[in-house]
C-alpha cells in the first residue's frame, strides 16, 4: 500500500508543477513547419496504455507520407521528481528540437508511486526497442540516436545509459536486450546524479525515493541509483547543463567528475549569472532567449557527433 504521506507529497508536486507548465505553455500551438504523429503505443501491455504512449515530431521540409527521410533522433525523458509529467507537457519543447533538424521521440513513462523502480527504466528500454522496430515507418536513423533528460529525467536517462554501457551494472536490469541502435550522445539538463542525501537526512529526497524504490530507499537501493558511480569509458558523450538559480546546481560536478575520470567527452554549460539567475529546467520554455541559446548549443553538440 502506498503511504498516505508519500501520496500527499506526490499530489502536491503534480498540482504545483502542472500549474507552472500550463502557464509556460499557454497559447502555444504546433509550429507550421512540424509534422507530428501522436499517441503511439510503444509497450506490449494494453493495460498500460495510459502511460506507454509516445509522439514523433519531424520537420516537414524533409519528407512526408511514405517518403520520410531518415533523420537523427532525439529521445526526450521528461522530468517531474519521478512522480509527475508526461509527453504532453514536453510537446512544445520537443517540437522546437525537431525544428533543428531532428526526429524527436517524446514519450510518457510510468510514474511513482503507482509504479516502482525500475518501471521507468523498463519503459525507456521499450521505447528504444520501438525505435528499432519502427525506424523505417517514421524515418528514424538508428545509427544516430541521442537523448535528453532533465531533473528526474536526467537521472533516469543517465541510469539507463549506464546500464547500456557498463556490463556489471547492466546485471541489475536483465530486461535490457541487445538492439540495432547507437546512442551517440546525451543531454543531461539540470539533473540529479547523487542520491546519498536520502540517507544523510534530506527529508524531501528521502520521501521521494521512499515512494519510488521497492525497499523504501534503503542504503543498497540508494547506491544502485547513484548514477555517477557507474560511468565507464563507454558512456555516451554528454552535454551537461545547469544554471545559476537551479536548485540542483550542485549536482552537476558529480556527473562531470565521473565523465572526466572515465575519459568520456563532454561539455559543461552553466547558464545565467549571479545577478541574472535563471531557474530549474528553464530550457523547456521556448519563448525564453536563454532557452533558445541552450537548446541550440545542445543540438549543435549532437550534430558534431553524427556519423
Amino acid at each position: 500500500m502506498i503511504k498516505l504521506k508519500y501520496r500527499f507529497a506526490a499530489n502536491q508536486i503534480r498540482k504545483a508543477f502542472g500549474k507552472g507548465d500550463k502557464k509556460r505553455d499557454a497559447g502555444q500551438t504546433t509550429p507550421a513547419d512540424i509534422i507530428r504523429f501522436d499517441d503511439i503505443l510503444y509497450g506490449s501491455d494494453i493495460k498500460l496504455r495510459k502511460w506507454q504512449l509516445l509522439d514523433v515530431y519531424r520537420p516537414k521540409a524533409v519528407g512526408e507520407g511514405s517518403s520520410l527521410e531518415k533523420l537523427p533522433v532525439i529521445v526526450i525523458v521528461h522530468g517531474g521528481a519521478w512522480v509527475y509529467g508526461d509527453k504532453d507537457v514536453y510537446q512544445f519543447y520537443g517540437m522546437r528540437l525537431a525544428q533543428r533538424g531532428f526526429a524527436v521521440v517524446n514519450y510518457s513513462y510510468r510514474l511513482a508511486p503507482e509504479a516502482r523502480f525500475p518501471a521507468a527504466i523498463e519503459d525507456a528500454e521499450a521505447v528504444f526497442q520501438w525505435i528499432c522496430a519502427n525506424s523505417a515507418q517514421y524515418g528514424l536513423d538508428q545509427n544516430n540516436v541521442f537523448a535528453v533528460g532533465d531533473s528526474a529525467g536526467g537521472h533516469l536517462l543517465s541510469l539507463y545509459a549506464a546500464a547500456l554501457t557498463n556490463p556489471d551494472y547492466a546485471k541489475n536490469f536483465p530486461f535490457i536486450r541487445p538492439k540495432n541502435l547507437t546512442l551517440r550522445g546525451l543531454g543531461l539538463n539540470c539533473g540529479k546524479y547523487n542520491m546519498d542525501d536520502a540517507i544523510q537526512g534530506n527529508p524531501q529526497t528521502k520521501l521521494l525515493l521512499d515512494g519510488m524504490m521497492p525497499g523504501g530507499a534503503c542504503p543498497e537501493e540508494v547506491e544502485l541509483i547513484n548514477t555517477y558511480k557507474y560511468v565507464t569509458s563507454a558512456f555516451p558523450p554528454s552535454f551537461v547543463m545547469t544554471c545559476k538559480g537551479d536548485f540542483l546546481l550542485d549536482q552537476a560536478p558529480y556527473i562531470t567528475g565521473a565523465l572526466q575520470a572515465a575519459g568520456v567527452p563532454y561539455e559543461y554549460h552553466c547558464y545565467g549569472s549571479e545577478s541574472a539567475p535563471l531557474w530549474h529546467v528553464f530550457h523547456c520554455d521556448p519563448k525564453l532567449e536563454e532557452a533558445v541559446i541552450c537548446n541550440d548549443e545542445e543540438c549543435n553538440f549532437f550534430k558534431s557527433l553524427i556519423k
Side-chain angles (χ1 to χ4, degrees), residues 60-83:
K60 284 183 179 178
V62 290
E64 296 184 47
S66 60
S67 60
L68 291 179
E69 174 188 334
K70 283 198 172 185
L71 292 176
V73 180
I74 296 178
V75 179
I76 297 176
V77 186
H78 71 76
W82 304 283
V83 303

Side-chain angles (χ1 to χ4, degrees), residues 21 24-25 28 90 93 96 100 150-151 188-191 239-247 249 268-273 276-298:
D21 286 342
R24 179 198 65 203
D25 293 342
Q28 294 197 59
Y90 277 64
Y93 163 65
R96 300 300 183 185
R100 292 168 166 87
D150 62 77
S151 196
L188 301 175
N189 303 317
C190 303
F239 184 102
V240 180
M241 183 277 282
T242 184
C243 68
K244 297 295 183 180
D246 179 11
F247 70 89
L249 174 63
Y268 172 68
H269 294 254
C270 183
Y271 296 91
S273 65
L278 294 167
W279 52 89
H280 189 59
V281 302
F282 72 94
H283 67 296
C284 290
D285 185 351
K287 302 185 295 294
L288 186 69
E289 180 181 358
E290 292 89 346
V292 174
I293 294 170
C294 170
N295 294 329
D296 278 344
E297 291 180 339
E298 190 159 83

Side-chain angles (χ1 to χ4, degrees), residues 31-295:
D33 59 350
I34 291 295
I35 181 172
R36 55 187 296 169
F37 307 88
D38 294 342
D39 297 329
I40 301 165
L41 182 65
Y42 67 81
S44 58
D45 189 345
I46 195 65
K47 292 182 293 185
L48 298 178
R49 188 176 181 89
K50 173 185 175 182
W51 303 101
Q52 294 180 333
L53 294 173
L54 61 80
D55 297 344
V56 178
Y57 315 129
R58 294 175 50 93
K60 284 183 179 178
V62 290
E64 296 184 47
S66 60
S67 60
L68 291 179
E69 174 188 334
K70 283 198 172 185
L71 292 176
V73 180
I74 296 178
V75 179
I76 297 176
V77 186
H78 71 76
W82 304 283
V83 303
Y84 165 81
D86 57 29
K87 64 182 179 61
D88 292 344
V89 297
Y90 277 64
Q91 60 179 312
F92 299 110
Y93 163 65
M95 287 186 283
R96 300 300 183 185
L97 297 182
Q99 287 179 316
R100 292 168 166 87
F102 294 86
V104 173
V105 176
N106 174 29
Y107 74 98
S108 301
Y109 57 85
R110 286 172 288 167
L111 301 172
E114 290 83 1
R116 299 292 182 110
F117 187 85
I121 305 298
E122 292 174 341
D123 289 351
E125 170 66 7
V127 168
F128 281 84
Q129 292 286 357
W130 181 92
I131 290 172
C132 292
N134 295 275
S135 60
Q137 182 176 354
Y138 294 97
L140 310 176
D141 183 355
Q142 295 168 238
N143 294 317
N144 289 292
V145 178
F146 304 90
V148 296
D150 62 77
S151 196
H155 172 246
L156 294 171
L157 173 58
S158 58
L159 284 183
Y160 181 68
L164 291 178
T165 55
N166 182 333
D168 288 335
Y169 186 59
K171 294 175 184 177
N172 296 288
F173 308 96
F175 51 83
I176 295 180
R177 309 190 310 275
K179 57 189 73 68
N180 183 24
L181 178 151
T182 303
L183 184 55
R184 294 273 176 212
L186 306 180
L188 301 175
N189 303 317
C190 303
K192 185 168 175 60
Y193 314 103
N194 182 350
M195 303 293 167
D196 284 341
D197 56 331
I199 53 177
Q200 293 172 351
N202 185 318
Q204 184 178 39
T205 304
K206 178 64 172 69
L207 179 61
L208 288 171
L209 295 188
D210 183 50
M212 182 176 75
M213 303 304 293
C218 63
E220 293 78 14
E221 287 185 328
V222 171
E223 183 73 7
L224 179 66
I225 59 174
N226 269 336
T227 298
Y228 75 101
K229 296 187 177 182
Y230 304 106
V231 172
T232 67
S233 60
F235 196 86
S238 298
F239 184 102
V240 180
M241 183 277 282
T242 184
C243 68
K244 297 295 183 180
D246 179 11
F247 70 89
L248 292 180
L249 174 63
D250 65 349
Q251 286 289 304
Y254 289 105
I255 194 67
T256 57
L259 295 168
Q260 179 74 32
V264 176
Y266 74 94
E267 289 186 12
Y268 172 68
H269 294 254
C270 183
Y271 296 91
S273 65
E274 296 291 346
S275 59
L278 294 167
W279 52 89
H280 189 59
V281 302
F282 72 94
H283 67 296
C284 290
D285 185 351
K287 302 185 295 294
L288 186 69
E289 180 181 358
E290 292 89 346
V292 174
I293 294 170
C294 170
N295 294 329

